[in-house]
């Protein structure tokens, strides 16, 4: 770039109003980029709701739009968890549905009729634009550099760690929750800096919105008290902290209790106790602070601080006692799994069975955050250098967030904002240092300082600048080198983000894509084919039994009652389904009769090589069932004596007789020449004779055999058991065959 | 002027007895302190600190300290702030009564108890914040908050608080 255009550029950026205008334009572009990069899935596939949980949110939103807010609030859903039903209105976080309902009605009022599905699909990208803006605000509170905020917004807009949960169609709670998280943090910093009740109240309101939206609100509930505690321990207690924290806590706790699902939890569970404890502690500190200002006695002060520490200890002891006495619920199982990653696998298999609850593998950090992950520590270091109250917050958040992101894959999401902020601080410091057009001159520096500062500060400033030589980059070469290297890194980051988004995070997982040999795309649409079949060919209240993963999809797409779904609140009920799947037919059939099951749905990927199928999930069903019926279902029986999990002719008898195995491989041989049946997921050759099913009959198998639906047979007309009835059916044919071929035998008796 | 109005309105029930209530608030707020004081010499004696030898005279010096505190309070607190303190003392008493009721008579309508108790606690905290923000000595801490702004914030926050309480009370 020539010197002329540089001058022009700098003159453009000089006036304040131009700067503001530029900033607004850049922010708009960032928001547009954030939205655009999330639209891959809509362009590649179609405007469709993704995955599993979003289907429930979508169904609930449709209910809300159709029936109004009050009946949504009191919604009892008898089409899930048959025969129990679910008090849906009281057991969900309504923030997401209400948000899209409000948008829907607002657009209606503006006479823009938009389909509710499109609102749901595009909600996450829209909110990601707002998240970028919130990150900009949060970063601006941290640093005076004007570029840091814009960089942070850009990072937040396109970083895959956040895109993973917010592509178009991923209509999940996180879609709006991350925006609320970042914005709540911004308001908290603002409240803390100004010591203003109004900002504190706004923080509490957005905290309440967050509580209404996502279970991850506990992260805020723990992080803000921790920040306050760290500040107090650093000797930075201030009246501003008191005002900000107590306003937030008093209003925020009340706001969170308005949500029926949360209810009394803020006063009854351990997760919320740190916030309460710090609240009480701050009251004491404020009182002591007042007394200290009243009486300037050294001894008295030391005593007071000891008393404060003692009270803190006593409070902690009281908390422990109250917990052991049962007034306060102890930490939940999900929480323990955050401390001990092996805990869930042993005690709560249902939590461990979800892939997003696994510990994070280290490449995932690089995959999701790319270069931000190495700029992140530099940014935290820069925060340490300044270390005002708000920088302490970034440091605390960074520590906390890194730990949790390491423990659970899905908590990468809460780490991403702080990584973006810290990395932007680091990057902007680098760029600001190296992008200064003029070389610094020692005497200029001094003169500037003395001229700019007022008279009283002169002496100290002059001293400082004589101590410290003028720091800056002198040669144009190093400037150019570092700046261009940084530019290359930023470009690489953008390319990486685009690549990851388009390849890894834009698949709806309801519709699968594969490549044909000639490179063209082939859409595999078995899920919707099967759900459509259910919708068209079964009666309105036919109960479908499937593993819980598919519960929401069946409810959303097929509109049929299910036994279990992704809201895994009732472990026993899920274990019942697991038992039915993993037992012999004679055991399973009564279970299915008792639960009025009409159809059983299994997902089978053996033909296509689709690895997320039920046989691969089968061990979790066994484990969960074993947790409730250790005598009847044993995981060991599903492994060969050599400890292998096999499906071919070497498979154990228990495995071969289990309902899941039979349903998966029933009639599978018919596709292949005799003896050639092959399972492409597990790379196993199947036994020549396929399994027989007595109590179920095949109702539907989708095009690529991904979904197989079986109808549960009614009781036999003649009162026989199913095995003999089926044997009779088969035997009848056999008899005919033998009649034809076999020689007549003389009856002797 | 706005703050004056506020103070007048807040205190209307006990306006006639203002000085005595203020007095009461002082004694009530200093009670926990006295309790803490009683415990302290023992603590330090066991710790073997330097001034454990003066523990016999400690009680008297603590009395003096409390006396100082009361004097300081009476002398250097503006009348309006005293009104705020009286309101806070009233809230503390109401909150304590509610808590006592909850312990003695059970917490059956837990919604009602919680919202009543949170209303007093929340209002107490907000009033304390207002008091802190309007105190002259703290002015340097709040460059962005003028007393008028503080009072406006206070009203807004109280409205939000009571909206939530009423909504939660069932």
């Amino acid at each position: 770039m020539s010197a002329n255009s540089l001058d022009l550029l700098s003159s453009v950026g000089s006036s304040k109003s131009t700067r503001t205008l530029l900033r607004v334009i850049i922010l708009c572009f960032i928001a547009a980029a954030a939205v655009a990069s999330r639209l891959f899935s809509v362009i590649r596939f179609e405007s469709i709701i993704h995955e599993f949980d979003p289907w429930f949110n979508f169904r609930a939103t449709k209910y809300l739009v159709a029936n109004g807010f009050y009946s949504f609030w009191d919604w009892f859903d008898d089409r899930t968890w048959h025969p129990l039903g679910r008090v849906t209105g009281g057991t969900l976080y309504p923030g997401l549905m209400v948000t899209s309902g409000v948008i829907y009605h607002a657009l209606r009022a503006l006479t823009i009729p938009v389909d509710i599905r499109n609102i749901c699909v595009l909600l996450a990208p829209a909110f990601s634009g707002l998240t970028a803006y919130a990150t900009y605000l949060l970063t601006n509170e941290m640093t005076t550099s004007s570029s840091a905020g814009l960089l942070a917004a850009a990072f937040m807009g396109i970083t895959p760690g956040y895109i993973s949960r917010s592509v178009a169609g991923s209509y999940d709670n996180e879609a709006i929750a991350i925006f609320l998280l970042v914005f709540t943090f911004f308001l908290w910093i603002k409240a803390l800096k100004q010591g203003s009740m109004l900002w504190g109240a706004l923080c509490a309101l957005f905290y309440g919105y967050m509580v209404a939206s996502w279970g991850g609100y506990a992260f805020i509930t723990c992080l803000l008290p921790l920040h306050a505690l760290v500040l107090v321990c650093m000797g930075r207690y201030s009246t501003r902290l008191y005002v900000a924290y107590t306003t937030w806590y008093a209003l925020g706790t009340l706001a969170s209790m308005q949500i029926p699902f949360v209810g009394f939890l803020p006063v009854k569970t351990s997760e919320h106790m740190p916030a309460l404890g710090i609240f009480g502690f701050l009251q004491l500190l404020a009182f002591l602070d007042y007394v200290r200002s009243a009486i300037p006695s050294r001894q008295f002060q030391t005593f007071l601080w000891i008393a404060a520490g003692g009270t803190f200890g006593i409070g902690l002891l009281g908390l422990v006692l109250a917990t052991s006495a049962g007034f306060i619920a102890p930490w939940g199982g999900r929480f323990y799994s955050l401390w001990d990653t092996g805990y869930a696998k042993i005690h709560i298999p249902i939590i461990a069975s979800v892939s997003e609850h696994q510990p994070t593998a280290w490449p995932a950090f690089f995959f999701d955050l790319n270069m931000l992950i190495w700029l992140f520590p530099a940014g935290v270091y820069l925060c340490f250098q300044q270390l005002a109250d708000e920088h302490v917050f970034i440091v605390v958040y960074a520590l906390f967030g890194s730990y949790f992101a390491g423990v659970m894959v899905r908590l990468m999401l809460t780490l991403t904002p702080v990584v973006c902020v810290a990395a932007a601080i680091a990057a902007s410091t680098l760029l600001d240092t190296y992008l200064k057009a003029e070389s610094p001159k020692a005497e200029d520096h001094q003169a500037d300082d003395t001229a700019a500062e007022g008279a009283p500060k002169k002496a100290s400033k002059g001293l400082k600048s004589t101590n410290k030589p003028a720091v800056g980059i002198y040669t144009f070469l190093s400037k150019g080198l570092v700046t261009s290297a940084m530019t290359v890194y930023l470009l690489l980051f953008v390319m990486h983000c685009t690549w990851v988004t388009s390849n890894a995070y834009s698949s709806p997982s309801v519709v699968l894509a594969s490549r044909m040999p000639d490179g063209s795309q082939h859409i595999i649409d078995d899920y919707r084919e099967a759900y459509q079949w259910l919708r068209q060919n079964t009666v309105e209240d036919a109960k479908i039994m499937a593993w819980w993963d598919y519960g929401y999809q069946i409810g959303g797409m097929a509109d049929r009652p299910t036994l279990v779904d992704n809201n895994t609140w009732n472990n026993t009920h899920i274990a019942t389904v697991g038992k039915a799947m993993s037992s012999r037919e004679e055991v399973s059939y009564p279970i299915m009769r008792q639960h009025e099951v009409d159809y059983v749905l299994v997902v089978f990927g053996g033909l296509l090589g689709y690895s997320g199928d039920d046989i691969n999930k089968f061990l979790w069903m066994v484990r969960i069932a074993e947790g409730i019926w250790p005598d009847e279902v044993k995981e060991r029986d599903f492994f060969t004596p050599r400890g292998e999990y096999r499906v071919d002719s070497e498979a154990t008898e228990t495995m071969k007789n289990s309902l899941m195995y039979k349903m998966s491989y029933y009639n599978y041989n018919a596709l292949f020449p005799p003896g050639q049946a092959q399972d492409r997921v597990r790379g196993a050759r199947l036994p020549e004779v396929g399994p027989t099913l007595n109590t179920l009959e095949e109702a539907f198998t989708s095009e690529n055999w991904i979904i197989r639906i079986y109808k549960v047979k009614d009781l036999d007309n003649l009162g026989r058991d199913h095995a003999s009835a089926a044997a009779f059916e088969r035997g009848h044919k056999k008899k005919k065959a033998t009649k034809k071929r076999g020689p007549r035998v003389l009856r002797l008796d | 002027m706005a703050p004056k109005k506020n103070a007048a309105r807040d205190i209307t029930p006990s306006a006639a007895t203002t000085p005595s209530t203020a007095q009461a608030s002082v004694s009530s707020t200093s009670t926990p302190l006295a309790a803490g004081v009683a415990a302290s010499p023992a603590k330090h004696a066991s710790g073997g600190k330097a001034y454990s030898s003066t523990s016999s005279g400690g009680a008297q010096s603590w009395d003096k300290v409390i006396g100082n505190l009361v004097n300081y309070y009476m002398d250097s607190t503006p009348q309006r702030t005293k009104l705020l303190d009286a309101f806070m003392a009233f809230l503390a008493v109401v909150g304590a009564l509610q808590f006592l009721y909850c312990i003695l008579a059970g917490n059956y309508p837990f919604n009602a108890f919680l919202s009543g108790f949170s209303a007093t606690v929340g209002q107490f905290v907000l009033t304390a914040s207002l008091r802190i923000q309007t105190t002259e000595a703290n002015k340097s801490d709040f460059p962005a908050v003028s007393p008028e702004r503080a009072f406006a914030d206070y009203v807004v926050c109280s409205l939000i608080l009571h909206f939530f309480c009423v909504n939660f009370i069932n």
Side-chain angles (χ1 to χ4, degrees), chain A residues 43 61 99 152 173 185 225 235 244 266-267 302 364 396 470 494 552 570 633 640 710:
Chain A
I43 293 164
T61 312
T99 307
N173 290 333
F185 286 152
V267 288
T302 50
V396 170
V494 172
Y552 280 164
N570 189 332
V633 184
T640 59
Y710 291 87

Side-chain angles (χ1 to χ4, degrees), chain A residues 351-375:
Chain A
I351 291 179
S353 75
V354 182
S355 62
E356 64 187 21
H357 291 168
Q358 305 296 326
T360 318
W362 67 263
F365 282 99
F366 188 75
F367 189 72
D368 275 354
L369 301 166
N370 193 257
M371 72 157 191
L372 303 186
I373 202 66
W374 52 258
L375 280 175

